[in-house]
Amino acid sequence: MPAQKRILIMEKDEALRLLVETSCLINGFDAMVCDTYEKYFDCLESYKPDLIVLDYGTDANKEGFEALNNTKRYYSAADGKMPAIIFSTTILDKKSILAKGADYYLPKPYDIQALMDVIADFLKEFN
């Protein structure tokens, strides 16, 4: 039996974090949630995800962009395979988000089953 694909969920909103995590588990994925950007990198290094659902953060801080840049630098320096990044946001700036290295732009609010379908498609393509 193949190992479960690991999904790292960086989402500050508790209800959405629980919904995404539960949906991942129901759909046969292993999931780890991270609730703060301060913990994100520790989660990334210890969990070694196959895919990341990364929240934009706040308009003022744009923590998601910083986390995305740090993730890219980490995998580049480690000469490792970068996991797929699904970037979730209320900011309607798809072009900039994809240009910064996200693999998929997911505007909020989104349908949870649509997210699960995108995750499954990316895991087939990237792994």
Side-chain angles (χ1 to χ4, degrees):
M1 172 183 257
Q4 283 183 311
K5 298 297 183 179
R6 294 176 312 276
I7 313 299
L8 176 59
I9 303 156
M10 175 54 238
E11 175 60 60
K12 291 174 95 172
D13 179 87
E14 184 177 3
L16 187 52
R17 199 169 53 237
L18 181 61
L19 177 63
V20 175
E21 178 188 28
T22 302
S23 296
C24 283
L25 297 173
I26 289 170
N27 282 276
F29 306 119
D30 187 37
M32 176 184 211
V33 295
C34 188
D35 60 353
T36 69
Y37 286 96
E38 291 79 21
K39 296 179 197 172
Y40 170 75
F41 226 79
D42 289 336
C43 293
L44 179 72
E45 289 180 310
S46 66
Y47 190 58
K48 306 212 182 311
D50 297 299
L51 184 139
I52 301 167
V53 178
L54 183 60
D55 179 57
Y56 178 84
T58 64
D59 287 337
N61 296 333
K62 300 178 182 159
E63 300 112 321
F65 278 146
E66 184 177 332
L68 177 59
N69 287 333
N70 289 337
T71 301
K72 287 171 44 180
R73 277 195 295 272
Y74 171 77
Y75 281 96
S76 179
D79 200 28
K81 184 176 181 207
M82 175 85 171
I85 307 285
I86 297 174
F87 205 90
S88 145
T89 182
T90 57
I91 306 303
L92 301 177
D93 191 5
K94 180 179 182 177
K95 189 175 181 180
S96 292
I97 290 168
L98 294 176
K100 290 197 180 279
D103 295 298
Y104 192 83
Y105 166 79
L106 185 67
K108 289 180 180 176
Y110 52 81
D111 176 87
I112 194 66
Q113 190 53 54
L115 173 59
M116 292 301 109
D117 293 344
V118 168
I119 288 172
D121 288 346
F122 268 94
L123 289 174
K124 286 178 199 168
E125 181 181 332
F126 278 75
N127 293 299

